[in-house]
Amino acid sequence: MWRDRDFRRLWVGQTVSQLGEHTTLVVLPLCAVLTLGAGAGELGVLRAVGQAPILLLSLLAGAWVDRWRTRTVMVLADVGRALTLGAAAAAGLFGALGLPALLVAGFAVGALSVFFDVAYQASLVRLVRRDQLVRGNSALEGSRSAAQIAGPALGGALVSLLSAPIAAASSALLFTLSFLSIRRIRRREPIPEPTQQPSQRLPEPTEQLSQRLPEPTQEPRRRPPRVWRRIREGLRFVIGDTSLRAVCLASAAFQFSLAATMTVYLLFLPRELHLSGTEVGLALAATGPGALLGSLLAARLPGRFGHGVVLVSAAALGDGAFLFVPALHGSSAGAVLALVAVSLVFGTFGQLVNVTVMGVRQALTPDGMQGRVAATITFVGMGLTPLGSLLGGFLVDEWGMRLSLAVTAAGMLLSPLLMALSPLARLGRTLPGRRLLVD
């Protein structure tokens, strides 16, 4: 697989793009908090605006990705994000980088990231054989883990040590490098044929059909299904499968609570624990090594203990780690080390869940539906994150940081509870073909 030049170009481009994305996720909120003095409500709005495209555009992105070449989608997304952040950097140099500019940049980057993320997930299925999907997913998720290591630390350091315009310009450069790598992919992707609907009429008897056949020159071309019809196909496919439906519900509970938690967390670290931007970046970056370890564990543990056991137990351990954060006090080295440990545990088990769920989803889904199914799960799972971010800011104003952080962190435990009560908990050790083996 690694001998394939096109796969290597995809891997490099996706890695750099994820680095730019994770850097931007820290740069924009820290710019608002540390540079513009944004309060809890303003930070909640900024995060909600950046996450709103997940709700508004995920289904549309899935329909487009299944009709377009994923290389084209990823290249356009990289160019758009580079231009957006470049414009934000220029606005900062001229003293015009205020909260409205950050809101515009956050929404634009979030929208283009939705298209890129759906496209790179679907591109792997079109570039490698099905028996190479596990290794390919491990490589791509490992690169995302590497981006999680460097991205938050880089974003925090740039905002703290240099300036907001330089931080934005650095993210723009990363997206440019991703564009240069992905545009070199030469393999011509096969565009999946439109899915056939089960409601088509049965063929007529041969004698009657032969009388109705048009002349060869008059044979009409089959038009691809319209966008909304393709979106409905993806929704019906996911809703009709009990395991994918459970993935959506558990993901929605987790992502909603995580969005609220992170809004409080990004205020709690600099204002309650009085950590610097570099220390905040270090605490956030510790998620990366854990995610890298989780990617390695995902290649072994589901096949040994069963996919259901791994999903439920890993989600409970990873999500429960944040319950220890509200008990921390002060900016001592011990507090920073405790935050690093929490992020490490959260990253390890969270990534173990992510890779395992991705394998389940890909095993269930036909090639021609990969983009729409990925987008549908993203839409349902992450569509409520803007509301979660707003809730986090509201709770801080009403209850204070510590209580708000404890409540929102406890909410993340709804995800493993939902999985434990669903068919996901009974998944066996293997996923043969496109069906799940249930013990």
Side-chain angles (χ1 to χ4, degrees):
M1 183 179 64
W2 285 106
R3 296 178 180 178
D4 189 326
R5 292 182 179 179
D6 285 335
F7 176 78
R8 292 201 305 268
R9 290 162 181 163
L10 170 66
W11 180 81
V12 171
Q14 185 259 359
T15 300
V16 180
S17 178
Q18 290 292 321
L19 180 60
E21 185 174 338
H22 285 285
T23 300
T24 305
L25 288 175
V26 174
V27 165
L28 296 184
L30 287 183
C31 282
V33 173
L34 300 177
T35 304
L36 303 179
E42 292 171 319
L43 181 61
V45 170
L46 176 61
R47 285 177 51 80
V49 167
Q51 295 160 343
I54 299 172
L55 177 63
L56 300 177
L57 300 176
S58 290
L59 296 178
L60 182 63
W64 280 13
V65 166
D66 279 341
R67 291 185 59 185
W68 287 25
R69 305 194 187 281
T70 56
R71 172 185 176 274
T72 302
V73 177
M74 289 186 287
V75 163
L76 292 177
D78 279 334
V79 171
R81 289 182 291 184
L83 292 176
T84 298
L85 292 172
L93 293 175
F94 288 99
L97 185 62
L99 187 60
L102 286 179
L103 291 172
V104 172
F107 182 84
V109 171
L112 294 168
S113 294
V114 167
F115 281 89
F116 185 95
D117 291 345
V118 171
Y120 97 75
Q121 293 182 49
S123 67
L124 183 65
V125 180
R126 302 182 191 178
L127 285 178
V128 304
R129 300 191 308 269
R130 183 166 289 273
D131 60 356
Q132 296 177 324
L133 283 177
V134 173
R135 293 175 59 196
N137 279 325
S138 180
L140 292 179
E141 290 302 304
S143 69
R144 187 166 70 91
S145 302
Q148 288 177 329
I149 297 173
L154 177 62
L158 288 174
V159 173
S160 178
L161 301 178
L162 300 175
S163 66
I166 293 178
S170 299
S171 297
L173 177 61
L174 291 171
F175 289 126
T176 302
L177 294 176
S178 174
F179 156 76
L180 293 175
S181 178
I182 291 176
R183 71 184 293 269
R184 296 178 61 225
I185 295 176
R186 292 291 179 261
R187 184 174 304 167
R188 190 171 182 82
E189 299 176 35
I191 302 298
E193 291 294 327
T195 54
Q196 296 295 328
Q197 297 300 310
S199 59
Q200 290 177 333
R201 292 189 301 175
L202 294 174
E204 298 178 272
T206 306
E207 295 79 10
Q208 299 178 12
L209 184 61
S210 61
Q211 297 175 2
R212 293 191 176 188
L213 284 175
E215 296 296 328
T217 56
Q218 299 176 350
E219 183 177 355
R221 294 181 60 185
R222 182 178 60 182
R223 295 183 179 180
R226 293 185 178 181
V227 170
W228 294 113
R229 175 181 166 188
R230 296 174 67 83
I231 289 175
R232 289 196 298 270
E233 289 174 358
L235 287 169
R236 285 199 300 266
F237 186 86
V238 173
I239 293 173
D241 186 276
T242 55
S243 295
L244 292 180
R245 191 166 65 242
V247 167
C248 287
L249 294 176
S251 178
F254 169 75
Q255 295 294 346
F256 175 81
S257 300
L258 178 63
T261 300
M262 290 306 297
T263 299
V264 182
Y265 191 62
L266 289 173
L267 289 168
F268 182 81
L269 297 186
R271 294 188 177 175
E272 189 72 20
L273 299 185
H274 306 290
L275 301 183
S276 66
T278 303
E279 291 171 325
V280 172
L282 178 62
L284 295 173
T287 305
L292 183 59
L293 176 60
S295 296
L296 298 176
L297 293 176
R300 297 178 178 272
L301 296 187
R304 183 173 181 179
F305 298 105
H307 289 73
V309 172
V310 169
L311 283 173
V312 176
S313 59
L317 291 171
D319 298 348
F322 264 98
L323 291 175
F324 295 96
V325 176
L328 298 177
H329 293 270
S331 57
S332 64
V336 175
L337 289 176
L339 290 171
V340 169
V342 167
S343 295
L344 187 66
V345 172
F346 178 75
T348 299
F349 292 106
Q351 186 73 341
L352 178 55
V353 173
N354 290 340
V355 177
T356 304
V357 165
M358 186 175 294
V360 170
R361 188 259 296 170
Q362 289 177 337
L364 277 172
T365 307
D367 291 350
M369 296 281 287
Q370 290 286 342
R372 280 168 287 175
V373 169
T376 299
I377 293 176
T378 299
F379 170 77
V380 177
M382 300 188 67
L384 295 178
T385 53
L387 297 179
S389 295
L390 292 174
L391 176 64
F394 172 79
L395 292 179
V396 169
D397 288 334
E398 296 294 323
W399 295 351
M401 293 187 190
R402 290 189 185 275
L403 179 58
S404 299
L405 188 57
V407 171
T408 55
M412 289 194 290
L413 292 174
L414 288 173
S415 176
L417 177 61
L418 288 171
M419 287 192 287
L421 298 175
S422 76
L424 290 174
R426 300 189 297 274
L427 294 179
R429 297 177 180 178
T430 57
L431 300 173
R434 294 192 179 97
R435 291 190 175 187
L436 299 173
L437 180 63
V438 181
D439 289 338

